[in-house]
Amino acid sequence: MGRAQWRAALRNPVGAVAAGLLVLLAILAIVAPILWGDAAEATDPAALSQGSTSDHPLGTDALGRDIMFRVLVATRYSLGLALLATAICVVAGVILGVLPAVLGRRSGRLVVAAVNLAVAFPALLLALFFAVIFGVGARGAVLAIGLAGAPSFARLVQTNVAAVSGRDFVAAARVAGVGRFRLIVRHLLPNVGEPLVVNATVLAGGALLAFAGLSFLGLGVQPPAYDWGRLLGEGLDRIYINPSAALAPGVAVVIAGLAFTLLGEAIAQVVGIRTTRRILPRRSATPPADPADGASTATAPAPTEPAPDAVLAVEGLRVGFPGAGPDGWTYPVDGVDLTVRRGETVGIVGESGSGKSLTALSLARLAPERAVVTADRLDVVGLSLAGGDGDALGDEPPRDDPAVRKHLGTRLAMVFQDPMTSFNPSMRVGWQLAEVARVHEGQGRRAALARAIDRLRTVRVPAPQRRAHQYPHEYSGGMRQRAMVAMGLMSEPELIIADEPTTALDVTVQRQVLRLLREVQRETGAAVVLISHDIAVVAQLCQRIVVMYAGRVVEELPADRLDRAAHPYTRALLGSVPDLTTDRELPLATVPGRPPDPASRPAGCAFAPRCSFADDVCRADPRLATVAPDQRAACWHPRLDDQKQHGQEPHGQEPHGRQPHEEGVSRA
Amino acid sequence: MTSTPVTPPAAPAASAPSAVAGWVGNPWARFLLRRAGRLLASLAVLVTLAFLMIHLIPGDPVRAALGVTAPPDLVEARREALGLNDPLAVQFVDYLRALFSGDLGVSMTSGVSVSETIGQRLPATAGLAVVAFVVVMLAAIPLGLAMAVLTRGGRRRGVELGFTSTSAVVAAIPEFLLAVGLVFVFGVTLGWFPVAGREGAASYVLPVLALALGPALLMARIVRVEALAVMDEDFVRTARAKRLPPLRVYLRHVFPNALTSTLTIGGLLLSGMIVGTVLVENVFAWPGMGMTIVSSILAKDYPVVQGIVLVYGAAVLLVNLVVDVLLAIADPRSTIREG
Ligand code: SF4
């Protein structure tokens, strides 16, 4: 705990208030007995057991002594005893805590076991136990509270010491023959100091409260001495005559106890977990519907009528998060247009950070809570989720009634990236599937489960009857992903959005899942949007490929024209595709350079810093423009040659024929 | 269904080795066995400590109990009656034997048998603790969940701050001080509820409130934090992707997965509350074991103290056991396999 940290703890408002209170209490503890010690003892036979009067603002006790003075004077004794008990607790706890580290294995274990056993009992029970042994009175109570708190403090020390003693410098010290005692004092304790200081502070608060409790019960301070607990106990008997006689010492105990506890927590916040609550930059409540600087020139100028058979039509999709952008928002997705026709398979490719997954989630209205989604048009499976004026969708969705839910729930299916985490671990897989039919179609348990089993069979989960009754952790990764697809098939989806469905799986399983998606697509006629960072995966399944970079679509082309990709970024992606000669154990080759941070994208073409064709023209925003039939690219200098001739390919192979997952073997 | 039956063969005729193998092979059986072993060890330590308590007291406990003015032959007779003159080992064996036959000794002051006293006092204490615990659970879980839903994704910072700071402050006030405050507000000032004794349902209100308020807020905080963490999980997104009604998402998908820590904390709170009754009973003159143990400590009536400490300790151990078993049921993977 450095001085800087103490200072930081004091700058924290809670810490400052707590510290101020403690200083006040300390001053009271010193001066109150000197100033008012006699007044607190003075009996006033004319005013026995009085309520509040001008002479005695808080009234008097049974002997006519002034309550206010007594409460003030009791500060010293109450604080002193609490601190003494804390000291005993810390010393005993540290001794018990470091013992396992220095004792032999067996006796160390014994100490740990004893501490664990003792921790199971509430401290008050231990305190009562010790109070019996040490006898009633202040001395006994100090010992009892100190020892009662020792086990939990010891456990804390043990955990921290165990964490430290595994580290190198301790091992080095051991090897260097540093004695046990020295090892503890010089190497172990200083490195576990911080959490111990924090906890000792909180502990002091606890000790104060516990002491008040014991004194209140009559087991602590004995008359004629008095502390707050004792005053409270005496005052409670006369609470109907003079409530303040009970309330004043009670309030004193609460304030002092809170001061210690809060100071401890303030310190903990400073030294430990850096405060989790970030202060967000000041910003408007919602992002401007349309960027004032005209940054989204990639957006089509005006909404046009989408194709009549579109299951997905989105124009000018922007997803904003409160962040460090110029207007207080950052836009990981910044003006995306996308149309998917019935039965079509479309792949969205891009590096991580290109905004492709967020695009997919926003389309499905599953964007994170903080995101604000706007669009000029957002028609999903026949439901218009945004009007032409850039409705905010993310914050409070405009419509979330059962009808909308049913519509989306039955016609739009999602497959997520990580099948390990995408199932509820505490619910049987069959029920998780059946839930869809139960909620949206009002089916009974039996019928819904029967359909779930049937769908599991469809996706070739073996023994679906039995598997349906299992929990997700009993499934393998690939099987779980297939079950996820089956979940989407519980109704008749028109659109399946699969967000990196194969990334978390190994190669063989990847292939199975892709094949399954293709079969499902063929059999159900559903449109599929497949999102992946792997252009090879997308090329296997999709008819059309959409390449995203820095939150925008940079190229759109049919899969069979990949070898004629026009955008330098698409070409770079193709260049990073692994083939048979690539070692799969190594991380995938990537496009050199990094995608720009959405908070500070360069003006003009966002790819320019990584593009070898960039020139001054590229400082202006390129728009998506037709470069060939069915092919559009957002680039000032589209590559119109065949990729093979250009020699950008390290292996000089035709990209289209290169589908290592599926056809690699037959290529020889 | 092809899974093997988990129950061991009931017929004694079944060959012993296969029955044993069946037990050993079953993770549940192993878990329960291990856990029962730990309970027995803890109970043994508890009983030993309760026995030793009298012997750890400096000086002569009988002399201390009867006072300095008591005639020496009376002290001697009482020592003899309590068996305190026998060797320690013999005393321990006698103590254990008596314990197993349900005999916890006789009060030094009243001469009433300790088990009888406990039998009279236990229901009041247990009733108080159980009602308070039920109140904690019924209040804390919905409150915590509601707070999590309201403040999810960093919304309603004001509500969040208000809830976390209020609950932190109130939960830091010990139950007996809350009790005094409640007596003042509802008993003295408003006169709504009785402030002493145990007669009728109304007499439960204030003690239960004093005992339950802090733990309930603490628990609500935990539930909120856990539920918020679960809400960030992928499977909650899956549930949303299924377009389930929000309430169903929270109750079926979020809450069950926040249950583990809720249970753990619930167990800790319950054992804390069992012992917390000692203080609350003394504020409200509640005729339970807490009143008895304090007056017995003050009167140095050690057999009674010994017996009541045993009961409290055993109750705490039992709560821990139940929590562990519930945790194993809620999350079979972690608890049973590791342990
Ligand atoms: S616009 Fe310019 S910088 Fe951007 S990709 Fe095309 S050539 Fe490269």
Side-chain angles (χ1 to χ4, degrees):
Chain A
M1 216 40 230
R3 192 176 302 167
Q5 285 167 322
W6 279 109
R7 230 179 281 140
L10 293 186
R11 259 201 302 275
N12 173 323
V14 176
V17 171
L21 277 178
L22 284 182
V23 170
L24 203 72
L25 286 171
I27 294 173
L28 263 186
I30 295 167
V31 303
I34 303 170
L35 291 181
W36 305 302
D38 295 334
E41 295 295 339
T43 54
D44 183 353
L48 303 182
S49 292
Q50 272 190 347
S52 171
T53 60
S54 55
D55 277 352
H56 308 287
L58 297 181
T60 55
D61 69 2
L63 294 178
R65 293 175 295 198
D66 185 89
I67 298 284
M68 187 178 71
F69 286 140
R70 288 176 77 76
V71 170
L72 289 174
V73 172
T75 310
R76 179 186 284 182
Y77 208 28
S78 306
L79 287 187
L81 291 173
L83 291 179
L84 208 59
T86 310
I88 292 175
C89 177
V90 168
V91 170
V94 167
I95 291 174
L96 278 177
V98 294
L99 267 183
V102 290
L103 284 177
R105 249 180 111 77
R106 186 161 308 167
S107 25
R109 278 234 194 100
L110 206 66
V111 175
V112 174
V115 166
N116 281 345
L117 183 64
V119 167
F121 295 102
L124 181 62
L125 185 59
L126 297 180
L128 286 177
F129 177 82
F130 286 122
V132 173
I133 294 176
F134 296 121
V136 167
R139 195 179 52 112
V142 166
L143 284 169
I145 289 172
L147 292 182
S152 55
F153 201 73
R155 173 126 95 178
L156 186 81
V157 178
Q158 276 173 11
T159 342
N160 282 291
V161 164
V164 173
S165 57
R167 291 212 214 124
D168 289 348
F169 66 89
V170 177
R174 273 213 189 94
V175 171
V178 174
R180 282 179 176 180
F181 184 71
R182 203 180 148 75
L183 189 73
I184 297 172
V185 173
R186 293 300 303 273
H187 295 276
L188 290 179
L189 282 184
N191 287 291
V192 300
E194 274 185 9
L196 298 193
V197 168
V198 170
N199 277 278
T201 315
V202 177
L203 200 70
L208 188 101
L209 300 181
F211 215 104
L214 281 194
S215 285
F216 165 75
L217 291 177
L219 305 177
V221 172
Q222 297 299 312
Y226 56 95
D227 67 345
W228 287 329
R230 182 98 221 159
L231 291 177
L232 178 71
E234 290 168 0
L236 185 64
D237 295 337
R238 288 187 304 279
I239 194 164
Y240 278 96
I241 306 166
N242 179 15
S244 53
L247 295 182
V251 168
V253 173
V254 169
I255 289 177
L258 271 181
F260 278 113
T261 315
L262 292 182
L263 183 65
E265 269 165 23
I267 300 173
Q269 261 191 3
V270 172
V271 299
I273 335 125
R274 307 270 156 216
T275 158
T276 46
R277 209 171 292 127
R278 251 181 329 118
I279 293 166
L280 294 169
R282 214 162 261 291
R283 58 182 163 83
S284 54
T286 50
D290 216 48
D293 55 357
S296 73
T297 31
T299 313
T304 45
E305 269 312 298
D309 60 345
V311 286
L312 175 72
V314 52
E315 277 165 28
L317 178 76
R318 296 185 97 202
V319 184
F321 285 92
D327 57 349
W329 291 82
T330 51
Y331 297 95
V333 176
D334 194 10
V336 165
D337 302 346
L338 186 67
T339 304
V340 177
R341 290 159 201 275
R342 191 171 300 282
E344 198 182 16
T345 48
V346 176
I348 302 182
V349 218
E351 290 163 293
S352 60
S354 62
K356 56 188 190 308
S357 286
L358 193 56
T359 302
L361 289 179
S362 307
L363 296 178
R365 283 223 337 221
L366 294 171
E369 298 274 352
R370 289 186 315 129
V372 175
V373 180
T374 58
D376 299 322
R377 177 196 299 284
L378 183 48
D379 296 348
V380 182
V381 290
L383 204 66
S384 184
L385 301 177
D389 50 356
D391 276 343
L393 298 176
D395 209 35
E396 279 317 328
R399 288 177 66 203
D400 194 29
D401 49 73
V404 172
R405 276 204 303 269
K406 178 176 174 180
H407 192 93
L408 289 177
T410 51
R411 302 202 195 172
L412 171 64
M414 297 289 296
V415 180
F416 294 109
Q417 172 169 358
D418 192 349
M420 308 307 241
T421 56
S422 293
F423 274 103
N424 181 345
S426 64
M427 203 169 163
R428 295 173 203 276
V429 174
W431 290 119
Q432 297 194 44
L433 267 64
E435 209 174 19
V436 179
R438 288 189 26 95
V439 168
H440 295 305
E441 295 172 27
Q443 289 198 355
R445 291 166 70 91
R446 226 167 252 279
L449 188 64
R451 190 190 297 176
I453 292 169
D454 176 67
R455 293 304 189 264
L456 285 175
R457 188 175 296 119
T458 311
V459 299
R460 287 199 295 275
V461 166
Q465 191 83 31
R466 182 168 61 89
R467 287 284 179 182
H469 291 281
Q470 287 183 333
Y471 287 99
H473 71 89
E474 296 168 273
Y475 278 49
S476 70
M479 207 185 291
R480 243 178 276 183
Q481 197 62 303
R482 275 179 278 153
M484 181 63 82
V485 175
M487 190 186 288
L489 297 180
M490 285 301 288
S491 338
E492 266 106 51
E494 292 170 14
L495 175 62
I496 301 173
I497 298 180
D499 182 9
E500 302 265 13
T502 60
T503 309
L505 306 172
D506 69 46
V507 183
T508 359
V509 184
Q510 275 188 9
R511 206 182 303 158
Q512 292 171 3
V513 169
L514 281 181
R515 199 179 298 146
L516 175 66
L517 276 175
R518 186 181 300 144
E519 284 172 16
V520 163
Q521 194 274 327
R522 265 187 218 135
E523 277 160 33
T524 64
V528 174
V529 172
L530 174 68
I531 289 118
S532 177
H533 64 279
D534 189 344
I535 201 164
V537 164
V538 169
Q540 283 177 66
L541 188 74
C542 299
Q543 300 156 343
R544 200 150 57 83
I545 291 176
V546 173
V547 183
M548 279 189 70
Y549 187 75
R552 305 217 182 136
V553 174
V554 295
E555 180 157 18
E556 235 190 288
L557 73 172
D560 55 12
R561 280 186 62 89
L562 265 184
D563 52 342
R564 291 202 158 70
H567 198 285
Y569 178 59
T570 314
R571 295 208 165 192
L573 279 181
L574 284 163
S576 67
V577 168
D579 60 22
L580 277 186
T581 62
T582 313
D583 186 351
R584 288 205 163 271
E585 299 302 310
L586 295 176
L588 287 178
T590 47
V591 182
R594 298 163 131 271
D597 180 353
S600 56
R601 284 194 195 116
C605 176
F607 189 57
R610 303 164 74 184
C611 180
S612 45
F613 307 100
D615 58 17
D616 279 352
V617 186
C618 305
R619 294 223 196 101
D621 244 325
R623 291 180 175 202
L624 266 184
T626 306
V627 293
D630 294 328
Q631 182 175 5
R632 300 197 299 161
C635 174
W636 293 115
H637 310 295
R639 309 285 97 197
L640 298 174
D641 52 339
D642 194 311
Q643 200 170 359
K644 209 154 78 174
Q645 302 154 8
H646 205 76
Q648 246 202 350
E649 276 288 300
H651 303 293
Q653 284 158 344
E654 193 189 352
H656 182 56
R658 191 158 37 73
Q659 290 176 354
H661 303 321
E662 284 278 62
E663 289 141 33
V665 182
S666 63
R667 268 179 65 236
Chain B
M1 289 293 205
T2 55
S3 62
T4 48
V6 283
T7 42
S15 63
S18 77
V20 169
W23 271 100
V24 171
N26 182 350
W28 267 102
R30 252 181 306 160
F31 164 74
L32 286 178
L33 225 64
R34 199 172 51 225
R35 197 55 192 75
R38 189 157 13 124
L39 177 72
L40 282 182
S42 312
L43 276 177
V45 173
L46 177 69
V47 168
T48 313
L49 283 179
F51 165 75
L52 285 178
M53 189 163 70
I54 282 192
H55 300 272
L56 287 172
I57 297 164
D60 182 352
V62 177
R63 165 62 71 191
L66 297 181
V68 275
T69 52
D73 49 338
L74 176 64
V75 172
E76 195 46 41
R78 188 59 68 83
R79 283 187 66 86
E80 196 59 49
L82 286 169
L84 287 175
N85 291 333
D86 297 337
L88 205 59
V90 174
Q91 285 188 45
F92 190 46
V93 171
D94 286 345
Y95 177 72
L96 286 183
R97 193 174 295 143
L99 192 63
F100 276 111
S101 57
D103 176 11
L104 290 169
V106 177
S107 160
M108 276 168 151
T109 48
S110 68
V112 179
S113 109
V114 174
S115 31
E116 202 182 310
T117 309
I118 291 177
Q120 280 169 2
R121 297 298 186 127
L122 182 62
T125 298
L128 185 56
V130 167
V131 173
F133 182 69
V134 170
V135 167
V136 166
M137 287 312 212
L138 289 185
I141 291 173
L143 180 63
L145 275 181
M147 280 299 156
V149 171
L150 284 179
T151 62
R152 70 191 187 278
R155 296 177 183 200
R156 299 191 183 82
R157 292 249 178 247
V159 174
E160 181 189 341
L161 200 67
F163 172 71
T164 48
S165 43
T166 321
S167 56
V169 169
V170 176
I173 301 175
E175 60 283 75
F176 68 101
L177 291 178
L178 273 178
V180 172
L182 291 172
V183 165
F184 173 65
V185 175
F186 294 103
V188 177
T189 310
L190 300 172
W192 287 357
F193 301 107
V195 298
R198 175 180 178 240
E199 267 143 40
S203 67
Y204 272 84
V205 174
L206 293 184
V208 164
L209 213 56
L211 204 52
L213 200 57
L217 287 173
L218 205 65
M219 180 86 144
R221 277 167 71 102
I222 307 284
V223 171
R224 172 178 166 268
V225 170
E226 288 300 317
L228 280 178
V230 174
M231 280 180 202
D232 280 341
E233 299 264 4
D234 285 350
F235 62 81
V236 175
R237 189 180 57 190
T238 307
R240 287 204 294 140
K242 288 193 272 185
R243 316 290 158 180
L244 303 179
L247 197 63
R248 192 180 175 97
V249 174
Y250 297 132
L251 293 185
R252 289 297 305 269
H253 293 269
V254 174
F255 177 61
N257 291 290
L259 199 64
T260 313
S261 42
T262 308
L263 270 175
T264 317
I265 301 294
L268 281 178
L269 289 178
L270 181 56
S271 39
M273 282 160 67
I274 290 174
V275 183
T277 53
V278 174
L279 284 158
V280 172
E281 284 181 10
N282 279 279
V283 174
F284 293 100
W286 193 261
M289 292 194 302
M291 292 273 282
T292 316
I293 192 174
V294 170
S295 57
S296 304
I297 293 176
L298 287 172
K300 301 197 167 63
D301 191 348
Y302 296 115
V304 178
V305 176
Q306 217 176 22
I308 296 183
V309 163
L310 262 185
V311 174
Y312 278 126
V316 168
L317 290 177
L318 211 65
V319 167
N320 291 349
L321 176 75
V322 170
V323 167
D324 279 1
V325 171
L326 285 181
L327 278 177
I329 294 172
D331 190 6
R333 278 172 300 167
S334 55
T335 324
I336 294 193
R337 304 263 148 78
E338 293 150 20

